Amino acid sequence: MSVIETCYRCGTRYDDEFRVRCDCGEPLWIDAEPTTAAWDERRDRLGMWRYESLLPIDRPAGVARAAGGTPLVRTSGLDDVAGGRVFVKDEGENPTGSYKDRGSAVAVPHAIDAGDDVVGTVSYGNMAISTAAHATSLDRECIVFVPEDISRVRLELIAQYEPTIIRVGGEYGALYEDALELSDWLPIAALVSDDPARISGYKTALFEICEEFAPETPDVIALPASSGGFASGIWLGICDLERAGVIDEPPRLYLVQTAASDPITRAFEDGSTDPTPLSPDETGETIAHSIGNPDPPSGARALAAVRDTGGAVVSVSDDEIRAAQRQFAVEGGFCVEPASATTLAGVSRLADRGEVSAEESVVLVPTGTGFKELGTGGTDVETETVHRTGLADRLESLLPRRAD
Amino acid sequence: MSVIETCYRCGTRYDDEFRVRCDCGEPLWIDAEPTTAAWDERRDRLGMWRYESLLPIDRPAGVARAAGGTPLVRTSGLDDVAGGRVFVKDEGENPTGSYKDRGSAVAVPHAIDAGDDVVGTVSYGNMAISTAAHATSLDRECIVFVPEDISRVRLELIAQYEPTIIRVGGEYGALYEDALELSDWLPIAALVSDDPARISGYKTALFEICEEFAPETPDVIALPASSGGFASGIWLGICDLERAGVIDEPPRLYLVQTAASDPITRAFEDGSTDPTPLSPDETGETIAHSIGNPDPPSGARALAAVRDTGGAVVSVSDDEIRAAQRQFAVEGGFCVEPASATTLAGVSRLADRGEVSAEESVVLVPTGTGFKELGTGGTDVETETVHRTGLADRLESLLPRRAD
C-alpha cells in the first residue's frame, strides 16, 4: 500500500515514505485524490467504512468496524443557548466512547500494514483508551505513555485493554517529540495526535455530517480544540469535498478551547499563524481535562482551517463549561464530557458577538461521552424518600388526578 | 394513533385501549402487521427509525433519533471461548449507553401521545438513565423510583438529566405492580420493563442483525435476561419477520442469567412455562447488577421465546462473568458491563454441552457499556515508572531494534 502525503502549508508532496511531519516542520496529511465519482458511488455500508474508497487503507477487521456512523440529531432545546438551529453529532456513540476511534480505526491497522510490531501512544485520556482497544482487537502489543501522576480512574479505563502502561517521569509535554524520535529507530509506531492516518479517519465525521445535510451544507461546525488534530481532520474532509465539487461554500469551523490553556485562541486573536507554546505559569486547572494542550502540534493547521473557512477560535471558562454540560443533558438528553460541552459554551459566546445568527444551522460535535468519569462524586443529587405504602399519597400531591 | 395489541399466550386482541397486561395475566405486545413490502421498502435512514413503518409511532424528535443503528462486528478473537463464529452487536453505542434507548425512544413519545403529563419508571439502572434522558429531551417531567439504598454512582448517573428521584422504602420488587396501579388513576405513564411500546422498540435490534446477515440468518443470538423484556422484543422481531416471509428458520435464542438470581433458568430446566418468583434467601449478590430480577414480569414470555426458537436458558457465576468481561475487552476491544459479559460466558457453557458448534454464527448482544461504572476501584492495574530520559533504554530492552 502506498499513500501520498502533502503539507497543507508549503505544498510539499511525499510519495515514498510515511512521515508525520513535513521538512517545513508542519504536520502532513494523506491525499485521497477524491473525485465526484468516489463520492457518488453507492455506499451501502454503515459506519465510517462507507467511505472506504476515500481512506488510505482497506477496511480492517476488529473493533475498527464499529467506529463512526454516529447520529446527527436536531436538538431544538439548545437553540436558545446556542443562538442558532442546533444539531448534535454525538461522537460519544463510538466503541470506546469518543471520536478517537475513527482515527485509531485507520492508524492502528495502517501501522501494522507498515510492519510495526508494536503501537504506542502518548495520552492518558480518550486517545490512550481508543488506541489500546484497537491494538488489542488486532492482537497487537500496545504501549501507553502516561504522566507519573495519572488518576486512578484514568488508569482503570486504559488498563481494561491490558496495554503496557508506562508512567513517565519528567516533562510530559516533551514526549510528543520523544515518541516520534523513538519510532524512527525502534519497531514501535507512535500514534500521536496528528499521525496522518489518524487524521484521515477523522474526516469521516465531516463526510457523515455533509451526507446528512445534502444537498444543503451546514453553516457552522463547532469542535473542542486541544492538539488541533480533530480540526485538521474535519478541514481535510472539507477540502476533499471541495476538490470533488460536492460542496461550494464550506461550513465555518469554530474551535473552542478551555480558558485554562488556550494557545490557539491567543494566536487567533493576535492574528498569528503559529500558536506560541504556553509556559506552566500561563496555564491552569480545568474540568475539561481532555483538552488543554499548552503546545498543540497541529495548532497552526487548526488556525489555518479556521481562517480558510471563515470561522473563529474562542475560549470558555469552567463555569461556562459546567452550565453547558448540564444543558446538553437536561435540554438535549446527551451525556457529554466537559471538554465536549465547550462547543455549546463557545457557540453561545459567538452568538452574543453576532457571529452566529438564529436561522443558521449549527453542528455541535461533542467528541466524547460523559459516562466515563461520571459517578465519581461531582454531580449534585436531590432525592426524597417515601415508603412504598405512602407512594400514592405523595404522587397525588405532586400530580393532578387523571381527568377521565 | 391507535395500536393493536395481542397476547402471545392466549391470543386475545385489544384494539381500543392501551394496556400493559392481558386479562390472562401475561404481558401484551403491539402488532405491527408486517408485510414483505414493509420490509423491502427503501430504507435510507440510519438508526432504528429506518424501520419506522414497523413501529407503532411516527419518528419523534429529540434524543430518540440517536437510538439504535449500533454496529455488528465479526469478532474472531472470541471464537475459541464461545465455540462458534462470534459477532458482537454493541448496544453500548446508544445515546445513554444501553439497549434501553431503543425502548425509551418509542415508549416515551407513545406515552406523551397518549396524553400523559409525566413519565415514571421503576429502575435504578440503565432503564432509569434512559427514560430520564428521553423524557427531558422532549421537555417532559420524569419520576424515577429507586431503592432506598441505591449507590451514589447510580444516583449521579440518573440525576444528570434532572428527573424527580424518589427513594422508595419497603419491598422494591413490589413496585412493578404498584406502578401499573398508580398509572391507572394518576396522569403518570409507568414505563415498566415490559411496556408494550418499549418492547416494540427492542425488536429493531433484531431487524438490524437480520438485515446485516441477509440473505442468511444467524444461527444463534445470545442475550442477558432479567425481566425478560429484551428477549420478548427480540422474539417479537423474529415473529414479524417470519410472518412477513423474510426468514424461514429463526435464530435460536439463548438467554443468560446470573446464577445469583435465575428464576428463568430454573423454570427452563424444570420444563415449566412460568418462572417461580425467588424468595430473598434464594438470591445472592452479583457483579451483574443490571440483571438478577427475582420475579421477572416477562419471564414466561421469555421462556416461550426460547422454546419457540429452539434455544435454551443458562446461568453463569460471577467468576465466569469477570473472565468474559475481560475477554470482551482484551480479545474484542469492547468495554461491556458485567451483565452483558454473561452472553459470552453463557454461550461458552452451551458450546461445552455441544449446543453450539464451531461453524455456527453466534451473535452476542452486550446490552450496555462498561464505561458507566468503570474507574471505581474494581480493575487491577499494573504500571511501571520510567523517567523520560531513560525511556529509550527501557524501550530498547522491551523491543527488538528496527531492522532497516
Side-chain angles (χ1 to χ4, degrees):
Chain A
M1 177 197 57
S2 77
V3 296
I4 298 164
E5 294 179 288
T6 55
C7 176
Y8 79 93
R9 179 176 280 179
C10 71
T12 302
R13 171 180 159 140
Y14 298 86
D15 283 28
D16 301 322
E17 50 174 342
F18 184 75
R19 308 160 48 122
V20 174
R21 301 188 83 90
C22 180
D23 283 334
C24 84
E26 280 300 289
L28 294 168
W29 59 26
I30 296 173
D31 254 358
E33 303 194 7
T35 61
T36 313
W39 183 254
D40 285 342
E41 76 189 24
R42 182 168 166 72
R43 280 185 297 272
D44 280 337
R45 238 172 229 163
L46 306 175
M48 62 183 274
W49 300 103
R50 70 200 273 109
Y51 309 108
E52 184 179 17
S53 62
L54 298 160
L55 290 170
I57 60 167
D58 295 335
R59 183 172 70 144
V63 76
R65 295 196 179 188
T70 60
L72 178 79
V73 178
R74 172 79 177 104
T75 305
S76 57
L78 296 176
D79 288 359
D80 285 349
V81 182
R85 298 177 58 248
V86 172
F87 295 77
V88 173
K89 176 71 174 167
D90 185 20
E91 288 293 297
E93 296 182 49
N94 264 298
T96 75
S98 85
Y99 80 102
K100 292 286 185 181
D101 287 323
R102 295 183 189 269
S104 304
V106 179
V108 172
H110 180 264
I112 291 172
D113 286 350
D116 283 302
D117 296 323
V118 176
V119 297
T121 194
V122 180
S123 166
Y124 52 107
N126 290 324
M127 187 163 69
I129 294 166
S130 175
T131 305
H134 287 256
T136 198
S137 97
L138 294 177
D139 205 21
R140 290 294 156 140
E141 289 292 309
C142 179
I143 301 181
V144 181
F145 302 100
V146 302
E148 205 169 355
D149 62 350
I150 183 175
S151 77
R152 176 77 200 179
V153 177
R154 291 304 186 95
L155 273 181
E156 287 191 28
L157 289 164
I158 300 167
Q160 66 177 316
Y161 304 107
E162 301 187 0
T164 298
I165 301 177
I166 299 183
R167 297 178 194 243
V168 184
E171 193 201 339
Y172 188 71
L175 273 183
Y176 173 87
E177 291 292 346
D178 291 353
L180 290 187
E181 197 180 305
L182 289 169
S183 66
D184 274 350
W185 60 278
L186 287 170
I188 179 169
L191 301 180
V192 290
S193 60
D194 54 6
D195 175 88
R198 181 174 283 288
I199 302 303
S200 287
Y202 296 158
K203 73 182 180 181
T204 60
L206 183 278
F207 292 163
E208 289 173 14
I209 292 168
C210 287
E211 193 177 342
E212 290 224 42
F213 269 92
E216 307 291 309
T217 308
D219 297 303
V220 164
I221 298 179
L223 316 171
S226 177
S227 69
F230 192 41
S232 299
I234 297 296
W235 188 34
L236 178 60
I238 292 173
C239 295
D240 277 2
L241 296 191
E242 286 185 314
R243 285 165 62 195
V246 173
I247 60 174
D248 294 325
E249 187 71 22
R252 307 196 304 278
L253 276 190
Y254 289 113
L255 306 184
V256 192
Q257 298 217 281
T258 163
S261 185
D262 59 354
I264 306 177
T265 307
R266 293 180 193 210
F268 179 77
E269 290 175 353
D270 289 349
S272 313
T273 54
D274 294 85
T276 304
L278 301 183
S279 62
D281 63 343
E282 291 174 296
T283 64
E285 292 291 307
T286 173
I287 57 168
H289 38 57
S290 292
I291 55 176
N293 191 323
D295 185 11
S298 286
R301 190 162 57 181
L303 278 168
V306 162
R307 292 190 174 120
D308 181 62
T309 60
V313 192
V314 284
S315 299
V316 292
S317 70
D318 274 14
D319 281 349
E320 289 170 277
I321 294 170
R322 261 186 220 97
Q325 190 182 22
R326 177 182 171 271
Q327 284 150 344
F328 262 109
V330 175
E331 306 299 337
F334 290 101
C335 173
V336 307
E337 64 175 15
S340 297
T342 60
T343 53
L344 178 59
V347 169
S348 181
R349 277 205 175 201
L350 290 160
D352 287 346
R353 295 196 327 218
E355 294 194 40
V356 173
S357 61
E359 72 282 0
E360 287 192 305
S361 52
V362 176
V363 179
L364 306 179
V365 188
T367 45
T369 178
F371 283 118
K372 282 181 191 161
E373 300 191 23
L374 212 72
T376 49
T379 310
D380 289 333
V381 180
E382 274 182 48
T383 66
E384 63 174 303
T385 302
V386 179
H387 194 274
R388 205 193 121 211
T389 51
L391 207 52
D393 287 346
R394 179 66 188 118
L395 283 180
E396 209 175 355
S397 74
L398 284 172
L399 303 167
R401 187 175 274 265
R402 193 188 288 273
D404 53 350
Chain B
M1 178 196 54
S2 78
V3 295
I4 299 164
E5 293 179 288
T6 56
C7 176
Y8 80 94
R9 178 175 281 180
C10 71
T12 303
R13 173 180 159 139
Y14 298 86
D15 283 29
D16 301 324
E17 50 172 345
F18 183 75
R19 310 162 47 124
V20 173
R21 301 187 82 90
C22 180
D23 283 335
C24 83
E26 281 300 289
L28 294 167
W29 59 26
I30 297 173
D31 253 357
E33 304 195 4
T35 62
T36 313
W39 183 254
D40 286 341
E41 77 189 20
R42 181 169 166 71
R43 282 185 297 273
D44 280 338
R45 242 174 224 162
L46 305 176
M48 62 183 273
W49 300 103
R50 68 199 274 109
Y51 310 107
E52 184 178 19
S53 63
L54 298 159
L55 290 170
I57 60 166
D58 295 335
R59 183 172 70 144
V63 75
R65 295 196 178 190
T70 60
L72 178 78
V73 178
R74 173 77 179 103
T75 305
S76 57
L78 297 176
D79 288 358
D80 285 348
V81 182
R85 298 177 58 248
V86 173
F87 295 77
V88 173
K89 176 70 174 167
D90 186 20
E91 288 293 296
E93 297 182 48
N94 265 299
T96 75
S98 85
Y99 80 102
K100 292 286 186 182
D101 287 323
R102 294 182 189 269
S104 304
V106 179
V108 172
H110 179 263
I112 292 172
D113 286 351
D116 283 303
D117 296 325
V118 176
V119 297
T121 194
V122 180
S123 165
Y124 53 106
N126 290 324
M127 187 162 69
I129 294 167
S130 175
T131 305
H134 287 257
T136 196
S137 96
L138 294 176
D139 207 19
R140 291 293 157 141
E141 289 293 311
C142 180
I143 302 182
V144 181
F145 303 100
V146 302
E148 205 170 354
D149 62 350
I150 183 175
S151 76
R152 175 78 200 181
V153 177
R154 292 302 188 96
L155 273 180
E156 287 191 28
L157 289 164
I158 300 166
Q160 65 177 318
Y161 305 107
E162 300 186 2
T164 299
I165 300 176
I166 299 185
R167 295 177 196 244
V168 184
E171 193 201 339
Y172 188 71
L175 273 182
Y176 173 88
E177 292 293 345
D178 291 353
L180 291 187
E181 197 180 303
L182 289 168
S183 66
D184 275 350
W185 60 277
L186 287 169
I188 178 170
L191 301 179
V192 291
S193 60
D194 54 5
D195 176 88
R198 181 174 283 287
I199 302 300
S200 287
Y202 296 158
K203 72 181 181 182
T204 60
L206 184 278
F207 292 163
E208 290 173 13
I209 292 168
C210 287
E211 192 177 343
E212 290 223 42
F213 269 91
E216 308 290 310
T217 308
D219 297 302
V220 166
I221 298 179
L223 315 171
S226 177
S227 69
F230 191 41
S232 300
I234 297 295
W235 188 35
L236 177 59
I238 291 172
C239 296
D240 277 3
L241 296 192
E242 285 184 313
R243 286 165 62 195
V246 173
I247 60 174
D248 295 323
E249 187 70 22
R252 308 197 301 280
L253 275 190
Y254 289 113
L255 307 183
V256 192
Q257 298 217 282
T258 164
S261 185
D262 59 353
I264 306 176
T265 305
R266 293 179 192 212
F268 179 76
E269 290 174 353
D270 288 350
S272 313
T273 54
D274 293 84
T276 305
L278 300 183
S279 62
D281 63 344
E282 292 175 297
T283 64
E285 292 291 307
T286 174
I287 58 168
H289 38 56
S290 291
I291 55 176
N293 190 321
D295 185 10
S298 285
R301 189 163 56 181
L303 278 169
V306 162
R307 292 189 174 120
D308 180 60
T309 60
V313 192
V314 283
S315 299
V316 292
S317 70
D318 274 14
D319 281 348
E320 289 170 277
I321 294 171
R322 263 185 218 100
Q325 190 182 24
R326 177 182 171 268
Q327 283 150 344
F328 263 110
V330 174
E331 306 299 336
F334 291 101
C335 174
V336 307
E337 65 175 14
S340 296
T342 60
T343 53
L344 177 60
V347 169
S348 181
R349 277 203 176 206
L350 291 160
D352 287 345
R353 297 196 325 218
E355 294 195 40
V356 173
S357 61
E359 71 284 1
E360 288 193 306
S361 53
V362 176
V363 180
L364 307 179
V365 188
T367 44
T369 178
F371 282 119
K372 280 179 191 163
E373 299 192 23
L374 211 73
T376 48
T379 309
D380 289 333
V381 179
E382 273 181 48
T383 65
E384 63 174 305
T385 302
V386 179
H387 193 274
R388 203 193 123 213
T389 51
L391 206 53
D393 287 345
R394 180 66 188 120
L395 283 179
E396 209 175 353
S397 73
L398 284 173
L399 301 168
R401 185 174 275 264
R402 193 189 286 277
D404 53 352

